[in-house]
Amino acid sequence: MDPQQPHNEDEVYYIVSGQGQIDVGDETQPVQPGSIVFVAAHVPHKFHSITEDLKILVFFAPAET
């Protein structure tokens, strides 16, 4: 289970390796190497249905104060 909680910052996920799916709000999309996913601040999101271990680079903006 993905313990993600909505954050106060926007997020961008870059999938380095692995495969699965992510729910962002009410939408579900597959992720694989090269996928880029934007998650606006305060939007519920979680990774699931992971078929290969995910390695993810995450960017947050603006910086949390």
Side-chain angles (χ1 to χ4, degrees):
M1 177 174 206
D2 182 355
Q4 292 272 357
Q5 296 292 320
H7 301 280
N8 294 324
E9 308 86 25
D10 292 339
E11 298 174 76
V12 174
Y13 290 97
Y14 174 75
I15 309 303
V16 176
S17 64
Q19 293 189 344
Q21 295 188 18
I22 187 171
D23 293 339
V24 178
D26 294 334
E27 295 185 19
T28 300
Q29 67 184 73
V31 294
Q32 59 191 15
S35 295
I36 297 174
V37 180
F38 173 77
V39 179
H42 308 288
V43 174
H45 56 286
K46 67 178 178 179
F47 287 94
H48 62 91
S49 303
I50 298 167
T51 57
E52 290 181 30
D53 288 344
L54 292 168
K55 290 186 183 176
I56 304 168
L57 184 59
V58 183
F59 300 89
F60 292 91
E64 188 172 44
T65 55

